[in-house]
């Protein structure tokens, strides 16, 4: 403490992403640089600082702290208040305090940083080739946190006490591992083992052997940050095919991990935005147009999902000679969630993996790789979760449970909407378990008391998420209609609580107000006042209800039955299989048949008419197939898709598809004209509704808008108008974004619900 200057004391509270990102060390350094005394500690609301010294130096401290905040941190609020001087002589980091309810945000997992990479490959460094190297700027966070505040005993590293050299770094404020909770080294920390046949190898040897196995065409289960991956050589079609057969994953594309950016550029064409995403901190899987066609890796699509190495282990594997492009897919069977405990991986992957590369550090929770495309996020998981995506005005905690497909949950606490990682499809037992775990996780981590919580769920009475919501001991439970939640997700991201909009929500399925299956919906309203359905796709009968979503010809029956002069679709060129006739019978009897306005099923119908007559093996497959078919042509005259009396009429559109196909038209051109017709019809309907309702903002959401061909065409057609077009950015347009929308509507309309 310098003499002379008048001593004043201040208490400073900082909120945001300030735990687990090297924030306290940075506070310590700035305090020292400004010759201030006092202390800093992690508290549940964020970081608290006590400063004593000259007023100018305290002001300089706040300025410097903001300017030099760690890259992974994100400050949302700084409160400075006068405090009682305590006569401190130095500045220290104090143990964490726990009182009240924690609202500090947990940092998402971070990729290994350049400095750690340099040490990893420096033979003189004591962490040479150590796969768990990390520092305050990099490494695991969310996947090792068991409770808040973020301190070592509350992480999965609790079982490895630091040795003296690690402890010295941990306690040295000048060291970049100062208070890095997962810090470890080969002598005190966890290590990796390879189990291959009856043999076990440890450490470097396990990694060298894994690389050789991969190069030789084997399939290896590799423990990562949020779960196990199944890895094999992406250019070895036999290995990839074996992986498909063993994993029961027939056609869904696999993601590829490229050794480096150069390899990624060789695999896919990357624009500047896609390249920025590829190297961004979440290190997501980036979908981009393929430059090399790997038939076994990504059948029937012109895109390929590519990511870069993000853990030290990945870098070690490539360095040890693993193939330049590795299939790296979530370790599971079919669409089950990723395996993340060792026992689970060994049990579930038996017969799939030839060998297991097992890391000793436990994973606190399963977190899949995230999937993005330039312009939007498709699966929000590792690297993004559990980041807050929006601020919402909620006086009590809100827990929104999402939809049953591509489930995610959202917790609103302290005015922040925290969206969970992608959980999966709740008809899978493992996903349902994961769903319940995530709810427990969020409520324990943030100390939520059930008697305070408003639980929000989908309006579908049969959804597993709905049944679970009702079983919870919450203060109150409210249902939000599916498509309203989609619309709300876009507005919540932007913090637009009052703006009146037209929301066009197009997806596969959602329970409507009238019990019908909705999915081609025009809604007007705002977050604050709710949404009203003003127009929709013309209704068709859906034979077999939601089950029809797996069989495009079954979905088609009710749509094509409305086409005058329908030809025999079992005959050439359509070749519809028997399922079509069975579905016709279901339709005639009217059993298990529901009216639908689903745009997803209209896509299925068009796909079936153009040759996709088999069953799908993953959600959205037929629509993706149709989109990629259409990409084979640069333009086409749009088929008619008229908007009359609040309905978009699919009959002229499908008539044109059938007619042109009968005349021997080229399927790619027909698919393109179908897309252009949809876009033109939607644009016309949007203009009409906006004009009569005096709206100038349009929200687009729902899984159909993952179709970038349709989205771009629609945006182009509206570009010349005064209309502003808003889409999702922080959460997916698919059902992964539903929980955020549910939370937002519940937050803004609490008064209505409690009236
Ligand atoms: Zn690092
Ligand atoms: Fe949906």
């Amino acid at each position: 403490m310098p003499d002379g200057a008048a001593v004043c004391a201040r208490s400073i509270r900082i909120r945001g992403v300030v735990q687990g990102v090297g924030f306290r060390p940075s506070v310590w350094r700035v305090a020292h640089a400004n010759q201030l005394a006092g202390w800093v500690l992690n508290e549940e609301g964020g970081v608290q600082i006590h400063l004593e010294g000259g007023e100018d130096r305290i002001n300089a401290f706040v300025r410097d702290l903001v300017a030099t905040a760690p890259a992974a941190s994100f400050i949302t609020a700084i409160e400075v208040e006068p405090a009682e001087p305590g006569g401190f002589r130095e500045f220290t980091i104090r143990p964490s305090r726990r009182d009240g309810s924690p609202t500090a945000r947990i940092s998402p997992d971070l990729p290994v940083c350049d400095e750690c990479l340099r040490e990893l490959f420096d033979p003189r460094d004591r962490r040479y080739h150590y796969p768990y190297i990390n520092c305050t700027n990099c490494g695991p966070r969310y996947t090792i946190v068991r409770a808040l505040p973020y301190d070592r005993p509350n992480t999965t590293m609790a079982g490895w006490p630091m040795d003296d050299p690690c402890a010295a770094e941990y306690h040295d404020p000048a060291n970049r591992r100062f208070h890095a909770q997962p810090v470890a080294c080969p002598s005190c920390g966890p290590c990796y083992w390879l189990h291959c046949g009856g043999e076990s190898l440890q450490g470097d040897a396990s990694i060298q052997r894994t690389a050789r196995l991969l190069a030789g065409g084997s399939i290896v289960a590799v423990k990562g940050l949020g779960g196990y991956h199944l890895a094999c050589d992406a250019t070895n079609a036999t290995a990839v095919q074996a992986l498909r057969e063993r994993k029961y994953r027939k056609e869904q594309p696999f993601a590829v991990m490229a050794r480096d950016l150069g390899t990624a550029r060789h695999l896919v064409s990357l624009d500047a935005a896609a390249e920025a995403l590829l190297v961004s901190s979440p290190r997501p899987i980036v979908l981009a147009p393929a430059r090399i066609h790997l038939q076994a890796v990504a059948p029937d699509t012109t895109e390929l999902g590519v990511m870069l190495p993000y853990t030290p282990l990945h870098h070690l594997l490539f360095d040890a000679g693993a193939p330049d492009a590795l299939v790296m897919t979530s370790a599971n069977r079919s669409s089950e969630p990723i395996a993340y405990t060792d026992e689970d991986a060994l049990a579930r992957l038996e017969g799939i993996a030839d060998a297991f590369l097992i890391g000793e550090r436990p994973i606190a929770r399963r977190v899949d790789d995230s999937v993005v495309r330039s312009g939007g996020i498709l699966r929000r998981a590792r690297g993004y979760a559990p980041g807050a995506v929006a601020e919402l005005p909620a006086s009590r905690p809100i827990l929104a449970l999402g939809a049953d497909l591509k489930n995610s949950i959202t917790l609103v606490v302290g005015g922040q909407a925290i969206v969970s990682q992608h959980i999966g499809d709740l008809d899978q037992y493992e996903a349902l378990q994961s769903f319940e775990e995530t709810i427990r996780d969020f409520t324990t981590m943030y100390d939520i008391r059930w008697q305070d919580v408003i639980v929000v769920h989908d309006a579908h009475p049969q959804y597993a998420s709905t049944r679970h919501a009702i079983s919870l001991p919450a203060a109150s439970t409210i249902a939000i209609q599916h498509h309203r939640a989609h619309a709300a997700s876009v507005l919540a991201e932007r913090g637009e609580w009052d703006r009146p909009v037209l929301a066009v929500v197009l997806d596969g399925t959602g329970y409507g107000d009238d019990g019908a299956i909705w999915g081609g919906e025009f809604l007007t309203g705002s977050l604050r006042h709710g949404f009203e359905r003003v127009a929709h796709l013309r209704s068709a009968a859906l034979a077999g209800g939601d089950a029809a979503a797996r069989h495009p010809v079954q979905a088609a029956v009710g749509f094509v039955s409305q086409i005058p002069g329908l030809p025999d679709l079992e005959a050439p060129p359509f070749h519809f299989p028997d399922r079509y006739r069975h579905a016709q019978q279901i339709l005639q009897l009217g059993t298990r048949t529901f009216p639908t306005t689903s745009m997803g099923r209209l896509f299925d119908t068009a796909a079936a008419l153009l040759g996709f007559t088999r069953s799908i093996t993953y959600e959205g497959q037929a629509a993706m197939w149709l989109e990629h078919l259409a990409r084979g042509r640069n333009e086409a005259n749009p088929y008619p898709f008229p908007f009359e009396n609040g309905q978009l009429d699919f009959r002229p559109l499908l008539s044109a598809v059938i007619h042109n196909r009968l005349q021997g038209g080229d399927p790619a051109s027909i698919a393109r004209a179908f897309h252009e017709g949809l876009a033109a019809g939607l644009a016309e309907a949007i203009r009409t509704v906006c004009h009569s309702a005096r709206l100038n903002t349009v929200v687009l959401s729902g899984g159909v808008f993952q179709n970038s061909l349709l989205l771009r065409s629609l945006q182009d057609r509206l570009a010349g108008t005064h209309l502003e077009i808003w889409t999702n950015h922080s959460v997916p347009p698919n059902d992964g974004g539903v929980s955020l929308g549910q939370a937002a509507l519940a937050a803004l309309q609490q008064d209505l619900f409690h009236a």
Side-chain angles (χ1 to χ4, degrees), residues 246-264:
R246 295 186 204 170
K247 203 170 131 77
Y248 304 120
R249 175 145 152 167
K250 286 189 205 140
E251 296 162 311
Q252 192 168 8
F254 287 134
V256 169
M257 182 177 281
R259 166 187 289 271
D260 49 30
L261 194 54
T263 309

Side-chain angles (χ1 to χ4, degrees), residues 297-377:
V297 175
D300 285 341
T301 152
T302 49
E303 279 186 321
L304 185 65
V306 174
M307 64 180 147
L308 292 176
Y310 53 87
T311 66
L313 178 73
H314 297 148
H315 288 276
L316 289 171
L317 282 171
F318 285 116
D319 183 67
D324 284 357
L326 289 173
V327 163
M328 276 287 213
T329 182
S330 298
N332 52 20
R333 282 182 201 275
S334 178
S335 55
E336 290 171 2
I338 189 166
Y340 75 108
T341 66
D342 302 334
E343 310 84 78
D344 188 35
L346 286 165
R348 274 162 66 195
L349 305 177
E350 161 108 74
I352 297 183
D354 300 310
F356 291 82
L357 185 58
I358 299 180
E360 289 178 327
R361 186 180 69 205
I363 297 172
R365 60 186 56 74
R366 57 167 51 102
V367 185
D368 280 282
D369 292 315
S370 296
V371 183
V372 302
R373 194 194 262 145
S374 49
I377 188 161

